Amino acid sequence: MSKVDANGSAKPRPASTRRSPTPGKATILAIGKAFPSQVIPQECLVEGFIRDTKCEDASIKEKLERLCKSTTVKTRYTVMSKEILDNYPELAREGSPILNQRLEIANPAVTEMALQASLSCIKQWGWPPGHITHLVYVSSSELRLPGGDLHFVTRLGLRSDVSRVMLYFLSCYGGVTGLRVAKDIAENNPGSRVLLTTSETTILGFRPPNKARPYDLVGAALFGDGAAAAIIGADPLLCHGESPFMELSHAAQREGFNDVFWAVHPGGPAIMNKLENTLKLRSDKLECSRKALMDYGNVNSNTIFYVIENMRDELMKREGGEEWGLALAFGPGVTFEGILMRSLS
């Protein structure tokens, strides 16, 4: 069995007991995450949201209370704060023209969260940022030109010749799309190391409740803010400290549904219940997804990385854990993105 550190994360098994990476195949070498400082326990959300939006409709409050109980979310993080509402009171007023104000808040917040998640990831990777050759930057929460990728490169101090790919407004499936793009880059550019970062905030969608927009309450009850990052590369330099834990492969059914692990974006409990029932999955198969939803809410494109981190730690705890699995995310449309993964733990 693997050991567990003081933070509850599984430590890698000795190299002799780990699966060997396939030559030329992209692997995840490190993963990181970051959140804003404002924490919202789910049981406190309703009173705060109703107060901040000055809503006096008792029926809306009752509906939001019911939704909050049904989401299974326990904790979320948010950029929104009393200071922001004091500086931008129009955010809580119906009908105010507030796109510019939203972007003034969201753009720097998205970059800052992406920066902190990437620093955490790079620290885990153990190599200096100068060895990063490519950047894949994912967000559905900012809008500007030059894009956030350029601001991010400057803040993180990456090389000026880093190749950048920006993926905007893919919503919840953006994280898995980013993995696919990073995989293609890593496997077609020998020696490359790709930094994939995703960062999201709900600021763009924050507005007072209105009976004409009932779905707004679902967002208020379910979504949170945060960022994630991963280093992707093929042919890891094991003798120089690189420690891959997942290998990215082509999506194809190799085994029965219950014979593989599942890293599913937890868009909400209804999506996971439907997937579980349709594929007749064992109840434990989506446990890592349900835990991510409970701890952070639906954080858009980032959430799949919180699930993958949970899956990594879970597989490291188990002897004879599943070798193959599927990362899957759903988005508007309905659109979904999937990628076959191989655990190297």
Side-chain angles (χ1 to χ4, degrees):
M1 297 289 286
S2 61
K3 296 181 180 179
V4 177
D5 65 18
N7 295 318
S9 298
K11 295 180 179 179
R13 295 192 186 102
S16 60
T17 67
R18 293 166 60 86
R19 299 184 182 103
S20 298
T22 305
K25 282 286 188 182
T27 62
I28 303 178
L29 300 169
I31 199 166
K33 59 182 184 286
F35 302 96
S37 58
Q38 183 89 351
V39 185
I40 303 180
Q42 190 77 338
E43 63 269 20
C44 300
L45 180 133
V46 175
E47 292 296 334
F49 182 75
I50 295 298
R51 180 194 65 238
D52 293 342
T53 58
K54 299 177 174 61
C55 176
E56 298 178 352
D57 190 322
S59 66
I60 288 179
K61 180 179 180 181
E62 291 172 2
K63 184 172 184 179
L64 184 57
E65 288 173 339
R66 291 196 303 271
L67 286 169
C68 284
K69 291 177 181 176
S70 68
T71 62
T72 72
V73 177
K74 299 296 184 186
T75 307
R76 281 181 293 168
Y77 298 80
T78 180
V79 170
M80 182 59 75
S81 65
K82 183 180 184 301
E83 181 182 2
I84 288 175
L85 285 172
D86 288 344
N87 291 334
Y88 297 89
E90 59 271 31
L91 290 174
R93 287 200 300 263
E94 185 69 37
S96 299
I98 51 176
L99 178 59
N100 289 338
Q101 293 93 320
R102 293 180 191 276
L103 293 175
E104 285 177 10
I105 304 165
N107 288 343
V110 165
T111 302
E112 180 62 27
M113 290 189 294
L115 176 68
Q116 295 306 319
S118 297
L119 288 172
S120 173
C121 182
I122 291 169
K123 181 179 180 181
Q124 184 185 116
W125 178 40
W127 287 61
H131 286 268
I132 293 169
T133 59
H134 296 75
L135 170 68
V136 179
Y137 185 92
V138 183
S139 183
S140 298
S141 304
E142 66 162 58
L143 182 62
R144 53 183 160 173
L145 289 174
D149 60 327
L150 186 59
H151 293 272
F152 173 83
V153 164
T154 303
R155 291 282 308 279
L156 190 56
L158 299 181
R159 293 179 353 214
S160 60
D161 63 347
V162 164
S163 297
R164 308 191 310 273
V165 175
M166 191 165 57
L167 300 175
Y168 266 8
F169 294 103
L170 298 183
S171 191
C172 293
Y173 70 94
V176 181
T177 302
L179 278 174
R180 173 170 57 81
V181 172
K183 164 185 162 58
D184 290 345
I185 293 171
E187 292 180 354
N188 288 283
N189 295 269
S192 62
R193 290 297 179 263
V194 185
L195 173 60
L196 165 61
T197 184
T198 65
S199 187
E200 308 285 5
T201 174
T202 53
I203 288 289
L204 294 188
F206 182 89
R207 54 185 173 179
N210 188 313
K211 286 186 175 179
R213 300 189 306 266
Y215 192 75
D216 284 359
L217 293 181
V218 178
L222 185 62
F223 285 89
D225 298 357
I231 301 288
I232 314 296
D235 300 316
L237 302 173
L238 304 178
C239 60
H240 292 284
E242 288 190 322
S243 183
F245 64 90
M246 285 285 181
E247 188 174 276
L248 306 177
S249 191
H250 298 290
Q253 185 172 342
R254 292 172 172 264
E255 304 180 58
F257 292 134
N258 278 302
D259 297 325
V260 300
F261 62 82
W262 289 82
V264 178
H265 167 78
I271 292 175
M272 291 187 287
N273 292 342
K274 185 68 173 180
L275 182 68
E276 187 176 280
N277 293 333
T278 301
L279 300 183
K280 297 180 172 55
L281 299 178
R282 295 197 311 268
S283 59
D284 63 310
K285 284 296 176 178
L286 300 182
E287 190 61 33
C288 290
S289 297
R290 296 187 189 278
K291 184 179 187 304
L293 181 65
M294 181 177 68
D295 290 344
Y296 311 114
N298 181 343
V299 199
N300 217 313
S301 64
N302 309 323
T303 324
I304 190 64
F305 295 100
Y306 310 152
V307 177
I308 290 172
E309 184 179 52
N310 289 343
M311 184 60 66
R312 176 196 65 183
D313 294 347
E314 180 61 28
L315 290 172
M316 284 182 176
K317 294 175 186 176
R318 300 202 304 252
E319 293 290 352
E322 298 93 328
E323 180 175 2
W324 292 96
L326 186 68
L328 188 65
F330 303 88
V334 170
T335 305
F336 74 89
E337 187 86 53
I339 189 167
L340 190 69
M341 306 183 78
R342 177 176 173 242
S343 171
L344 301 178
S345 300

